[in-house]
């Protein structure tokens, strides 16, 4: 099975990663620090895929 260019395994891996990140944020002692860290990592991933992140800023 393929969804938007992703195999079923890739989709499962991504979904698990998202769940883990949500749990990290939910249980973080310093939520603002954890949120900033996750945002930094996600921006790096987006940029590595050629997706500009400047327009994503509020």
């Amino acid at each position: 099975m393929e969804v938007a260019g992703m195999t079923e395994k890739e989709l499962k891996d991504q979904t698990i990663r998202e769940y883990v990140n949500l749990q990290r944020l939910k249980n973080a002692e310093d939520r603002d620090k954890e949120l900033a860290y996750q945002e930094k990592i996600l921006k790096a991933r987006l940029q590595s895929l050629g997706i500009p992140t400047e327009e994503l800023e509020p």
Side-chain angles (χ1 to χ4, degrees), residues 34-47:
E34 179 63 29
L35 183 59
Y37 171 76
Q38 288 190 30
E39 183 178 34
K40 182 179 176 180
I41 297 301
L42 184 54
K43 281 183 179 180
R45 287 182 182 157
L46 289 168
Q47 290 171 352

Side-chain angles (χ1 to χ4, degrees), residues 3-47:
V3 178
M6 294 178 76
T7 66
E8 185 174 356
K9 181 184 181 330
E10 289 170 330
L11 186 57
K12 286 179 182 179
D13 288 344
Q14 178 62 33
T15 304
I16 290 168
R17 203 171 315 141
E18 290 176 28
Y19 181 79
V20 168
N21 286 339
L22 183 60
Q23 291 303 310
R24 284 182 57 161
L25 184 57
K26 184 178 172 183
N27 296 307
E29 287 184 30
D30 186 341
R31 289 185 180 183
D32 289 338
K33 185 176 179 180
E34 179 63 29
L35 183 59
Y37 171 76
Q38 288 190 30
E39 183 178 34
K40 182 179 176 180
I41 297 301
L42 184 54
K43 281 183 179 180
R45 287 182 182 157
L46 289 168
Q47 290 171 352

